[in-house]
Amino acid sequence: MQQRTIGGRSVSAIGLGGMPMSIEGRPDPERSIATIHAALDAGVTLIDTADSYHRDANEVGHNEELIARALREYGAAGADVLVATKGGHLRPGDGTWTRNGDPAYLKRAAKESARRLGVDAIGLYQFHRPDPAVPYADSVGALRELLDEGVILMAGISNAGIAQIDEAREVLGGRLVSVQNQFSPAFRSSRSELEHCAGLGIAFLPWSPLGGIANAKELAARHGVFQQVAGETGTSVHQVALAWQLALAPVVIPIPGASRPASIRDSAAAADLELTRDQVALLSA
């Protein structure tokens, strides 16, 4: 598969988002394991998770533990996968999301994530979402300390605007390697952050790149030009959406969520789909 870079590390151009395997409506664990293994078979070497990807209040880190199990069962090749996890977003178990950007909390959460993942140091740790009750620099400062202490190898942020990207770079002393924001054919307001990251050489990881769990099936109906290009290329509309994002900048690494092997196989194939300049322009309009 085509490779891209996060920090100094080469990863697959298409990653796997683990959230659908652990929240409401999740499949049984065996199907999730099969989905992760299908991703690895297809050449995926980036898996995104978070300690908040769970359903019930008493199962924090469900997705992290699921991914750790899948990698163990896959064998030695699983050790080459970059697992990116996040902290600072919480799920109390009633379907809502809350935030905690307290530096002491984030440092504890990162160490717990490392334990669940079974690693000495987390490959990529990301501050999940800004907490309005805590100064942003203080929250990102926890990542700086985690880097300095060797708890994490690389630091990133998520759901951030341009000013926060620049602030995080300053706080981290230039060691910010990734920004994970929502971006898809239906949600393009992060285009300015994508372009900012491209100018800085920072990886941009679109989450929900197909429109989210509820809307991915409607992509063709809602965005006819993507279906048009899918017909021209003989591929799926989802592959076209991901290939379009890859064409926007060499720093873009989409992380589509999946809970079925067939879904991630289809997404992974987008890394080999080359769109023409005219097709990219049409899809970007």
Side-chain angles (χ1 to χ4, degrees):
M1 183 188 290
Q2 177 192 155
Q3 300 292 292
R4 297 207 163 177
T5 302
I6 298 178
R9 182 159 177 177
S10 179
V11 298
S12 55
I14 300 291
L16 168 65
M19 187 174 75
M21 303 180 214
S22 292
I23 63 169
E24 292 81 356
R26 65 193 184 195
D28 64 79
E30 297 309 316
R31 194 177 93 185
S32 293
I33 296 293
T35 299
I36 296 168
H37 288 177
L40 301 181
D41 289 344
V44 171
T45 57
L46 170 65
I47 301 179
D48 180 78
T49 182
D51 59 3
S52 58
Y53 292 169
H54 61 88
R55 184 186 62 198
D56 304 324
N58 64 348
E59 55 175 20
V60 174
H62 179 278
N63 196 245
E64 292 174 325
E65 293 178 340
L66 183 69
I67 289 167
R69 174 190 161 190
L71 293 178
R72 286 195 305 270
E73 294 181 1
Y74 194 74
D80 296 330
V81 174
L82 174 61
V83 178
T85 192
K86 301 183 288 294
H89 222 2
L90 300 84
R91 301 199 79 200
D94 60 0
T96 64
W97 296 78
T98 59
R99 311 181 195 191
N100 189 342
D102 177 72
Y105 168 77
L106 290 172
K107 292 184 70 175
R108 290 195 304 271
K111 292 171 184 176
E112 282 298 301
S113 288
R115 179 188 60 79
R116 285 188 291 265
L117 291 170
V119 296
D120 295 327
I122 296 171
L124 172 59
Y125 192 71
Q126 304 155 100
F127 179 37
H128 203 154
R129 187 177 288 274
D131 180 353
V134 180
Y136 195 67
D138 291 354
S139 298
V140 177
L143 272 64
R144 181 188 62 225
E145 294 178 15
L146 290 165
L147 282 170
D148 293 342
E149 295 170 12
V151 178
I152 67 176
L153 300 179
M154 295 187 290
I157 54 176
S158 184
N159 301 299
I162 289 176
Q164 291 166 326
I165 295 170
D166 290 341
E167 185 174 8
R169 288 183 71 230
E170 182 178 354
V171 171
L172 292 169
R175 293 180 290 176
L176 179 69
V177 302
S178 65
V179 173
Q180 183 179 145
N181 280 8
Q182 185 177 8
F183 186 80
S184 70
F187 190 94
R188 306 190 189 198
S189 60
S190 288
R191 180 68 181 266
S192 58
E193 285 82 8
L194 184 160
E195 293 171 349
H196 192 60
C197 287
L200 296 170
I202 295 172
F204 184 86
L205 315 180
W207 62 264
S208 289
L210 301 177
I213 298 171
N215 298 319
K217 294 180 180 179
E218 306 299 323
L219 200 159
R222 296 183 179 183
H223 306 279
V225 290
F226 285 83
Q227 184 61 57
Q228 174 186 327
V229 174
E232 293 171 358
T233 57
T235 60
S236 73
V237 66
H238 298 114
Q239 286 182 39
V240 170
L242 296 172
W244 166 67
Q245 291 170 54
L246 289 173
L248 294 177
V251 300
V252 176
I253 307 172
I255 45 172
S259 62
R260 297 184 299 114
S263 296
I264 191 55
R265 290 192 194 103
D266 182 74
S267 291
D272 298 320
L273 175 58
E274 293 189 16
L275 302 175
T276 67
R277 183 175 299 179
D278 287 345
Q279 287 171 334
V280 173
L282 174 66
L283 297 171
S284 300

